[in-house]
């Protein structure tokens, strides 16, 4: 895909897709096997190996991955799951899918992530799990969270929707996770169009999750069709249709092979943004935490509370200048879907959600395009 013209509207993100992905998808179509099949199995193995997990279970989206992870924990009515409000609403919604109650916790301002302290502030005897998000590709401090959750006898699930290519202590996000859920939406670092994955080191969970994604069948459709003898399947429990197609997996395999190159490019662009923004007062860029490295799936900035213009007004100015920035991460507890749900005070969440915005960052972005974005910010800052 060619880079947008320097004078054209600058998009927030352009997926890194090209001829190799197109050929892989076409080969999948021509193979005659387009539903969940051998390419899905190959993608699962490759992805699990990449993040350091024993098992990968490909599904239709990260939302379905989160749902299945909570089903694996046998959560239900009467249970509470602590989640960040500062996250796409699917994080909280997945808890409601199993009948449990999402409890919103605040985040730290530097990373936008849960900490052991913010979780502990809302923990109750009904808390059965914590859903920690690696927000915008900034890794959460999972080592501290895992230690705290072990002490509390609470399960820790990682919402790694944005996390592929990010690291904690030199190892991939999701390495050593009880359960981690991943996204391959077009706005993520690698994409299959739509799609998701659950990773885990637990073989029994992996076996059950593979059944659950395929209506609870005791043998997959791929295994049934590959057998030389008739197989009559059984449905062991109520399951779901959460399958990934071989076409998606074929694209995912190509994308996974490019992951290092993609992340390196995004980090290079982010470093240049950060250097340019040193000259812009009242704009604080997202940065790597001390314990890990982000993938800069999103490059977000936090405006000072006394910034000359409000965030929404600034988005309008950027749009008029041909820059497609986006508002920052949502605060789920403020959405109509959670009206009356109740939440503890979440001052940091509300501050970040109100005063942050996501700047364009994509692999074909040019220095001239970055300069355009920063010039608008500098002008609005009074610089």
């Amino acid at each position: 895909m060619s880079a947008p013209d320097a004078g054209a509207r600058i998009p927030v993100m352009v997926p890194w897709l090209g001829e190799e992905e197109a050929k892989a998808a076409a080969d999948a179509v021509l193979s005659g096997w387009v539903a969940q099949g051998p390419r899905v199995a190959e993608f699962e193995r490759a992805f699990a190996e990449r993040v350091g997990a024993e098992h990968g279970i490909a599904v239709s989206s990260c939302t379905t991955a989160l749902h299945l992870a909570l089903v694996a924990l046998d959560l239900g009515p009467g249970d509470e799951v602590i989640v960040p409000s500062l996250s796409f609403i699917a994080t909280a919604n997945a808890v409601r899918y199993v009948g449990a109650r999402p409890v919103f916790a605040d985040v730290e301002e530097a990373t936008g992530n849960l900490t052991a302290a913010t979780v502990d502030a809302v923990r109750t005897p009904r808390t059965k799990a914590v859903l920690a998000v690696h927000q915008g590709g900034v890794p959460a401090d999972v080592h501290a969270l895992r230690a705290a959750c072990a002490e509390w006898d609470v399960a820790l699930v990682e919402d790694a929707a944005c996390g592929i290519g990010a690291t904690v202590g030199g190892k991939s996000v999701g390495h050593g996770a009880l359960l981690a859920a991943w996204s391959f939406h077009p706005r993520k670092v690698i994409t299959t169009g739509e799609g998701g994955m659950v990773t885990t080191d637990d073989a029994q969970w992996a076996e059950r999750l593979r059944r659950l994604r395929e209506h609870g069948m005791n043998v997959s459709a791929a295994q049934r069709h590959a057998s030389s003898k008739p197989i009559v399947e059984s449905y062991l429990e109520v399951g779901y249709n959460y399958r990934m197609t071989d076409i998606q997996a074929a694209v995912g395999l190509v994308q996974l092979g490019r992951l290092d190159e993609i992340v390196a490019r995004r980090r290079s662009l982010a470093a240049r943004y950060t250097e340019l923004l040193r000259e812009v007062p009242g704009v604080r860029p997202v940065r790597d935490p001390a314990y890990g490295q982000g993938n800069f799936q999103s490059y977000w900035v936090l405006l000072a509370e006394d910034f000359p213009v409000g965030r929404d007004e600034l988005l309008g100015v950027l749009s008029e200048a041909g820059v497609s920035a986006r508002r920052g991460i949502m605060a789920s507890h403020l959405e109509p879907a959670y009206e009356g749900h109740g939440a503890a005070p979440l001052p940091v969440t509300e501050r970040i959600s109100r005063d942050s915005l996501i700047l364009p960052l994509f692999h074909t972005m040019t220095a001239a395009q970055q300069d355009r974005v920063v010039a608008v910010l500098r002008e609005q800052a009074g610089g």
Side-chain angles (χ1 to χ4, degrees):
M1 181 178 292
S2 60
D5 181 80
R9 176 167 289 275
I10 302 174
V12 173
M13 182 174 180
V14 179
W16 194 327
L17 293 168
E19 293 182 3
E20 195 174 350
E21 285 86 352
K23 182 179 184 304
D27 288 346
V29 171
L30 294 173
S31 75
W33 194 289
V34 296
Q36 180 179 283
R39 288 172 179 81
V40 169
E42 184 182 354
F43 185 40
E44 289 173 332
R45 289 190 296 269
F47 189 87
E49 181 179 357
R50 173 64 200 231
V51 302
E54 292 295 323
H55 306 280
I57 303 93
V59 290
S60 55
S61 70
C62 187
T63 304
T64 58
L66 288 169
H67 181 202
L68 289 186
L70 299 180
V71 170
L73 293 173
D74 293 321
L75 298 176
D79 297 332
E80 292 181 351
V81 179
I82 295 174
V83 302
S85 171
L86 192 77
S87 182
F88 185 59
I89 203 167
T91 303
N93 286 351
V95 178
R96 298 177 83 171
Y97 295 166
V98 297
R101 176 181 173 80
V103 174
F104 293 115
D106 214 351
V107 295
E108 65 176 357
E109 190 173 285
T111 66
N113 289 323
L114 295 180
T115 68
T118 65
V119 169
D120 197 26
V122 295
R123 186 172 57 91
T124 76
R126 295 181 296 280
T127 302
K128 295 296 186 293
V130 174
L131 234 178
V133 178
H134 300 286
Q135 195 52 259
V138 180
D141 189 354
V142 289
H143 293 162
L145 284 166
R146 287 173 189 171
C149 286
E151 180 182 340
W152 302 327
D153 193 24
V154 166
L156 178 65
V157 178
E158 295 181 33
D159 181 341
C162 305
I164 186 62
T167 61
V168 176
K171 294 184 178 179
S172 171
V173 159
H175 179 87
L178 194 68
L179 291 153
W182 309 80
S183 175
F184 308 120
H185 183 272
R187 287 197 67 245
K188 302 304 185 282
V189 171
I190 62 172
T191 184
T192 59
E194 280 284 4
M197 187 85 68
V198 183
T199 55
T200 182
D201 291 340
D202 189 296
Q204 290 184 323
W205 275 345
E207 182 180 359
R208 186 183 179 207
L209 292 175
R210 289 193 176 97
R211 289 200 308 267
L212 285 170
R213 71 174 170 188
E214 199 165 4
H215 303 286
M217 283 194 294
N218 67 330
V219 59
S220 72
Q223 291 170 324
R224 195 170 69 247
H225 289 298
S227 175
S228 60
K229 299 179 181 179
I231 295 177
V232 179
E233 74 277 9
S234 297
Y235 297 82
L236 305 184
E237 59 182 313
V238 175
Y240 312 91
N241 183 2
Y242 285 174
R243 291 170 290 195
M244 176 181 280
T245 69
D246 258 29
I247 299 171
Q248 292 169 297
V251 172
L253 282 163
V254 176
Q255 288 270 287
L256 189 62
R258 290 180 170 166
L259 178 59
D260 289 337
E261 182 183 1
I262 293 171
V263 172
R265 175 61 176 158
R266 298 188 75 81
R267 287 186 60 81
S268 175
L269 288 166
R272 187 172 189 274
Y273 255 145
T274 300
E275 185 61 33
L276 292 172
L277 289 170
R278 293 183 194 278
E279 308 168 7
V280 182
V283 177
R284 193 184 76 195
V286 62
R287 290 183 170 87
D288 287 330
Y291 52 79
Q293 286 190 341
N295 59 17
F296 289 99
Q297 184 240 279
S298 295
Y299 188 90
W300 53 276
V301 298
L302 184 65
L303 303 179
E305 294 189 77
D306 61 353
F307 197 78
V309 299
R311 191 274 310 277
D312 292 351
E313 183 181 350
L314 180 56
L315 286 173
V317 173
L318 285 162
S319 181
E320 289 175 4
V323 177
S324 300
R326 290 172 54 94
R327 71 165 182 168
I329 303 151
M330 69 193 300
S332 298
H333 76 286
L334 299 180
E335 293 298 317
Y338 283 88
E339 185 176 358
H341 181 81
L346 303 171
V348 178
T349 293
E350 293 181 10
R351 157 102 166 93
I352 295 175
S353 184
R354 181 187 67 241
D355 295 332
S356 65
L357 66 156
I358 297 171
L359 301 183
L361 192 153
F362 49 95
H363 71 283
T364 57
M365 193 172 200
T366 65
Q369 288 170 331
Q370 282 192 303
D371 291 343
R372 278 177 60 194
V373 175
V374 173
V376 176
L377 295 175
R378 185 184 297 110
E379 180 181 4
Q380 294 304 304

